[in-house]
């Protein structure tokens, strides 16, 4: 299991290959990649991601460990960036490997649902006009946790 | 006790981290004490339902006791992923 | 949208990168990769995958088109191999890109559920003792379609 | 009419593809006709619930009419993915 919190970008293809090479007897591998997209009204210049360094790694490891136990994963990977990102850049990825596809999918969705609402990151949208808005947590995202 | 702030809580209070001398028994007591101290705290803590708290880097709640806690963090609901 | 039916292997990392590079305003990318795993009792020497060439490409395109419309995907990719594969080899992959994670996940699960039960492939397990068994369709896999 | 077989249906019948002269109106009629013809067909078609049929490369069912159809395919439930 690997959890990385980093400012630098990551190479999706290389990470996927490395992860897939190490999963042993798993029959199913799922990856999720989050990409900075434009603001709903357009004009997003950058996304600034703040985090709580002393807590982040610990929180992500707790979430990944829970997923690994709950779905008997062969392996799990979480990479999450912080700092200033522009539209099109990749923010984060997760990968899961399990014997069966249902488990790999569920575990990846679980990781994402918990990352969204329980990992100490905060996003600020910087618009081209200079306006800056903290992204609000969505009621949908909080509600998604009830599934688990 | 170290108190740290993130996102708009940090912006409203104006510092990312500070040392606070307090004998507050719970998080709620600490919030009341800071809010009484200066307007910027009162503004940041006006709506507790919009805030989250972590004690020594573990999510907690406003009723939690502060005894033995070294770092309290206040921040808005998280928006990772 | 791309659908490929091929005997040759594929490069998961390169496919993931190429797919991710072309998804425009999507915020969420999901990939699923299927790997040949050992038989439940062990001793799998190879998995032979037979298909119905005149029908396969058409069937996969119909499934992918349905997913693309239903979840407003920015893009979708399906690669499925046939022929003789050994444990650890990758059989197939799908990738989906959507604005939001829920859509990308659902579309990938839909593609997998339909590939399992509606794409004209048949698997035969060749065991090291020489025994060869056609893999039976699972009631679970058929039931999975009811979700959609 | 071209008739094609896959997986264990192909193995039981012994050929992957053949031309069949028939005036069967439906898939079920064709199955009955072939089953009456030789034991290997009767064996392959013994349990229709374990079989699927495609007409001109589209999944269909045993009640379907054969008029205008050029290729009939018989095979077990698919196991892709």
């Amino acid at each position: 299991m690997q959890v990385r919190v980093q400012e630098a970008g990551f190479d999706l293809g290389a990470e996927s290959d490395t992860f897939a090479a190490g999963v042993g007897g798993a029959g199913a591998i799922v990856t999720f990649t989050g990409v900075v997209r434009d603001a709903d009204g357009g004009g997003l210049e950058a996304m600034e991601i703040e985090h709580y360094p002393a807590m982040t790694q610990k929180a992500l490891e707790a979430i990944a460990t829970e997923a690994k136990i709950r779905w008997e994963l062969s392996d799990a990977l979480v990479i999450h960036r912080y700092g200033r990102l522009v539209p099109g850049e990749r923010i984060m990825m997760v990968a899961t490997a399990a014997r069966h596809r249902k488990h790999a999918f569920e575990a990846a969705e679980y990781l994402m649902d918990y990352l969204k609402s329980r990992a100490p990151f905060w996003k600020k949208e910087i618009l081209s006009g200079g306006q800056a808005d903290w992204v609000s947590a969505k009621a949908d995202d909080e509600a998604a946790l009830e599934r688990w | 006790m170290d108190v740290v702030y993130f996102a708009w809580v940090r912006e409203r209070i104006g510092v990312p981290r500070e040392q606070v001398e307090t004998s507050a028994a719970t998080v709620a007591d600490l919030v009341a004490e800071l809010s009484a101290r200066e307007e910027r705290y009162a503004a940041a803590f006006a709506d507790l339902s919009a805030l989250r708290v972590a004690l020594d880097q573990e999510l907690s709640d406003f009723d939690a006791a502060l005894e033995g806690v070294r770092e309290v963090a206040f921040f808005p609901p998280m928006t990772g992923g």
Side-chain angles (χ1 to χ4, degrees), chain A, chain B:
Chain A
M1 197 179 80
Q2 217 190 118
V3 168
R4 274 152 48 202
V5 182
Q6 61 187 48
E7 188 158 8
F10 59 88
D11 180 331
L12 171 62
E15 296 293 347
S16 299
D17 275 337
T18 303
F19 183 79
V23 298
I29 299 167
V30 169
T31 71
F32 177 92
T33 308
V35 181
V36 180
R37 56 185 173 75
D38 205 347
D40 285 335
L44 184 74
E45 192 168 295
M47 173 84 87
E48 285 178 4
I49 302 177
E50 179 173 341
H51 77 124
Y52 181 3
M55 180 173 170
T56 316
Q57 182 83 19
K58 200 156 98 170
L60 294 183
E61 281 175 10
I63 294 167
T65 300
E66 174 65 21
K68 202 167 174 218
I69 293 166
R70 205 151 155 174
W71 285 280
E72 300 175 22
L73 302 181
S74 309
D75 202 3
L77 167 71
V78 176
I79 301 174
H80 204 303
R81 298 175 65 191
Y82 58 88
R84 186 181 176 91
L85 283 77
V86 299
E89 274 193 88
R90 289 159 204 164
I91 306 177
M92 49 73 59
M93 75 174 284
V94 304
T96 57
R99 273 183 79 74
H100 298 289
R101 75 185 186 286
K102 190 172 186 305
H103 287 188
F105 271 121
E106 281 189 2
E109 291 182 72
Y110 172 92
L111 287 175
M112 288 309 304
D113 286 347
Y114 271 82
L115 284 181
K116 282 275 166 190
S117 304
R118 293 289 183 272
F121 292 96
W122 299 275
K123 291 179 185 141
K124 192 178 201 172
E125 290 182 342
I126 316 294
L127 301 179
S128 50
Q131 198 191 331
D133 301 310
W134 289 101
V135 173
S136 301
K138 294 190 191 72
D140 275 6
D141 283 335
E142 188 63 33
L145 298 184
E146 284 164 23
R147 179 177 166 197
W148 314 110
Chain B
M1 179 176 291
D2 287 316
V3 185
V4 296
Y5 310 106
F6 293 96
W8 58 255
V9 181
R10 171 179 55 69
E11 291 177 339
R12 283 194 200 168
I13 291 177
V15 295
R17 162 182 293 269
E18 61 188 331
Q19 279 246 326
V20 174
E21 294 299 320
T22 179
S23 53
T26 67
V27 176
D29 292 345
L30 175 63
V31 165
E33 195 179 305
L34 291 168
S35 296
R37 203 179 281 188
E38 281 183 59
E39 177 51 31
R40 60 194 170 106
Y41 293 104
F45 294 134
D47 177 9
L48 291 189
S49 75
L51 286 184
R52 299 291 178 268
V53 60
L55 302 183
D56 290 335
Q57 300 93 43
E58 295 279 356
L59 274 179
S60 187
D61 54 62
F62 289 88
D63 295 334
L66 290 179
E67 197 181 342
V69 169
R70 289 181 302 179
E71 183 171 278
V72 180
F74 292 106
F75 42 77
M78 295 158 271
T79 55

